[in-house]
Amino acid sequence: MRTDGRGGAERGAQGGEGPIAPAGAVGTPAIPVFLYHSVMDDPPDWIAEFTVTPKQFAAHLDAVVRSGRTPVTISAIADRLAGRAPLPDRPVLLTFDDGFADLPGPTAEALAERALPATAYLTTGALAPGGRSLLPPAPMMTLARAAELERSGMEIGSHTVTHAQLDTLSAKTLAYELRTSKAVLEDALGHEIRHLAYPHGYNSPRVRAMSARAGYETATAVRHALSSDRDERYRIARLIVRRTHTVADVEGWLAGAGARVAPYRDGPKTIAWRWYRRARAVVHGPEFAG
């Protein structure tokens, strides 16, 4: 996952558009939603920027426990945004994208040791036998182990089939990405899949509308911002965790500081970046969201 050409998920939103909302801003209590990818000591180069070591990860989890926040899964946030149920005081959500091999092993064990629930968004084409995805080579879990994640306390969501840039796809291809990944996970787990994470956060009004029509109740973006109990159901803000982030960074986010608080509108840089990628897709076809 390079930073040249992507500039981070939803590039403009990470570019510091506008002021950072203070912790406890009126009407928008900050909810940190952390986005992790892999937890390993020696990751492939393409994912290294978004990988933390087991030692770093343990320190982050210990900071979550010390913070006194209540860990929840995406369903709890969905219930609040839909007006069905309140959130517990000072919630925090830990999410994991793609489905790297560490997830059902040491990563799930580290969470379980601290009784921390989480949400895992799986890229089905990278996990199913004979599947096709745009993810570069990396050690991945298998789809057969998704049930293990649920037993360990993780909620499962979809991360599409191929990990393409959804906001550059035709309507037919976009529908395939959204509906097929959902169906594959439902077949594997035997229950409805209600939640989606956009690959690398790339979305648009059309993507959000089609996600709702495909049967998802929520979708998470990236935005590198704190979420809130007023966030948008189909682009819930997440904080992407990089290997360069320190425990102090994590503690700041847990305190509700250090990033903007969603919801807020896309800025000009985000919109321009989207149009540039769409133009590339016309020439090159679907591209990896990373």
Side-chain angles (χ1 to χ4, degrees):
M1 291 189 172
R2 305 178 307 277
T3 53
D4 56 342
R6 285 192 325 184
E10 296 195 4
R11 184 178 183 178
Q14 289 200 41
E17 301 165 8
I20 292 176
V26 175
T28 55
I31 301 173
V33 181
F34 293 91
L35 164 54
Y36 288 93
H37 288 85
S38 64
V39 180
M40 63 180 87
D41 285 310
D42 189 22
D45 288 345
W46 69 271
I47 194 64
E49 179 185 355
F50 299 96
T51 297
V52 297
T53 67
K55 183 177 180 180
Q56 286 176 301
F57 186 58
H60 293 182
L61 297 186
D62 289 341
V64 171
V65 173
R66 288 196 306 272
S67 74
R69 283 189 173 267
T70 303
V72 298
T73 65
I74 188 62
S75 282
I77 292 180
D79 287 344
R80 171 63 183 89
L81 295 179
R84 290 190 296 263
L87 279 165
D89 290 339
R90 304 184 68 240
V92 59
L93 173 57
L94 303 172
T95 71
F96 299 82
D97 280 8
D98 300 328
F100 290 91
D102 62 272
L103 189 57
T107 297
E109 291 167 8
L111 291 162
E113 285 171 3
R114 297 164 177 83
L116 296 174
T119 300
Y121 295 103
L122 304 181
T123 305
T124 58
L127 310 185
R132 181 182 65 87
S133 82
L134 297 171
L135 287 170
M140 306 298 292
M141 62 176 278
T142 62
L143 189 59
R145 301 194 70 183
E148 290 181 39
L149 295 180
E150 289 192 324
R151 289 193 293 271
S152 73
M154 290 194 199
E155 185 169 19
I156 303 299
S158 164
H159 200 41
T160 75
V161 178
T162 70
H163 207 282
Q165 298 179 18
L166 297 185
D167 57 345
T168 69
L169 302 179
S170 69
K172 180 179 179 180
T173 304
L174 175 58
Y176 167 81
E177 291 281 352
L178 297 173
R179 294 181 184 277
T180 302
S181 57
K182 188 176 191 294
V184 167
L185 289 170
E186 289 174 346
D187 286 346
L189 296 170
H191 60 75
E192 184 182 11
I193 295 297
R194 301 164 50 212
H195 308 291
L196 169 72
Y198 305 121
H200 203 59
Y202 289 140
N203 70 93
S204 66
R206 182 183 67 130
V207 171
R208 297 193 290 273
M210 288 189 66
S211 299
R213 288 198 294 272
Y216 294 104
E217 188 174 353
T218 71
T220 52
V222 181
R223 315 198 88 188
H224 200 65
L226 292 152
S227 184
S228 75
D229 62 1
R230 295 179 55 249
D231 208 348
E232 300 169 75
R233 279 205 298 166
Y234 290 97
R235 58 170 175 179
I236 295 167
R238 294 191 290 173
L239 297 152
I240 191 166
V241 182
R242 290 176 164 85
R243 62 180 173 180
T244 53
H245 284 131
T246 65
V247 173
D249 293 322
V250 171
E251 290 172 338
W253 296 331
L254 289 165
R260 297 184 70 175
V261 179
Y264 55 86
R265 293 181 179 179
D266 287 338
K269 291 180 181 179
T270 297
I271 295 169
W273 179 235
R274 182 180 302 140
W275 281 106
Y276 168 78
R277 292 183 293 99
R278 285 177 178 170
R280 280 186 56 90
V282 170
V283 176
H284 300 287
E287 295 188 323
F288 171 52

